[in-house]
Amino acid sequence: MRVFFPSRLRCQWLCVMVMLFVVGASSTLAAEPKNTVSGQSKYDAAGCARCHGASGKGNGPQAMALFFMFKVPNMADPAYMQTRSDDVLFRTIKQGKASMPSFGLKLTDPEIKELVVYIRSFTKTP
Ligand code: HEC
């Protein structure tokens, strides 16, 4: 059988399709803990999920475009998140860092605090 595309390229497309499918499926199946609903709506409204993914794993659609330059951290990894203080998370959202945009002009401090609480919930709901 003749192979029309270099097999490496075809593999990449397959990976992208599989990842998009996983992202789509996980966002519809994700359980919503009640106490973080407000933080969650802000997370969705501000577009955090397009880079960080619906469950914070760093697998949003735009993370693919950033993938080669900046790694989007996995905020659903408990071991990693233990190394991040609330203060660091707060400041990163407010001031931005590398390709993470700053939200200090779009969100108020209490709103950013709600987002930090919501982000913490990623490690609690497996
Ligand atoms: C354009 C893509 C993009 C968007 C949109 C985005 N982020 Fe990020 N975010 C990143 C990247 C990339 C990093 C890693 C920055 C670094 O450390 O180099 C990051 C880092 C973070 C961190 C720090 C995590 C750590 O490891 O310390 C937090 C918290 C965070 N983002 C929350 C948010 C929230 C909340 C929103 C929505 C209001 C958001 N992000 C929107 C790309 C994005």
Side-chain angles (χ1 to χ4, degrees), residues 23 26-28 30-33 36-56 61 75 103 107 111 114-115 118-119 122:
V23 169
S26 64
S27 58
T28 45
E32 296 170 22
T36 53
V37 162
S38 165
Q40 179 176 31
S41 60
K42 288 198 180 57
Y43 186 85
D44 293 341
C48 317
R50 72 175 199 260
C51 290
H52 289 283
S55 51
M75 300 194 294
F103 285 86
L107 300 168
E111 283 174 331
E114 268 179 53
L115 280 168
Y118 178 60
I119 285 166
F122 291 145

Side-chain angles (χ1 to χ4, degrees), residues 51-52 66 69-75 80-81 83-85 87-104:
C51 290
H52 289 283
L66 293 173
M69 287 177 291
F70 301 101
K71 200 178 171 333
V72 180
N74 181 355
M75 300 194 294
Y80 172 72
M81 288 308 280
T83 70
R84 321 305 293 165
S85 68
D87 196 41
V88 165
L89 302 181
F90 182 89
R91 260 184 295 134
T92 308
I93 300 171
K94 188 163 175 155
Q95 296 162 8
K97 190 182 167 203
S99 55
M100 163 78 195
S102 73
F103 285 86

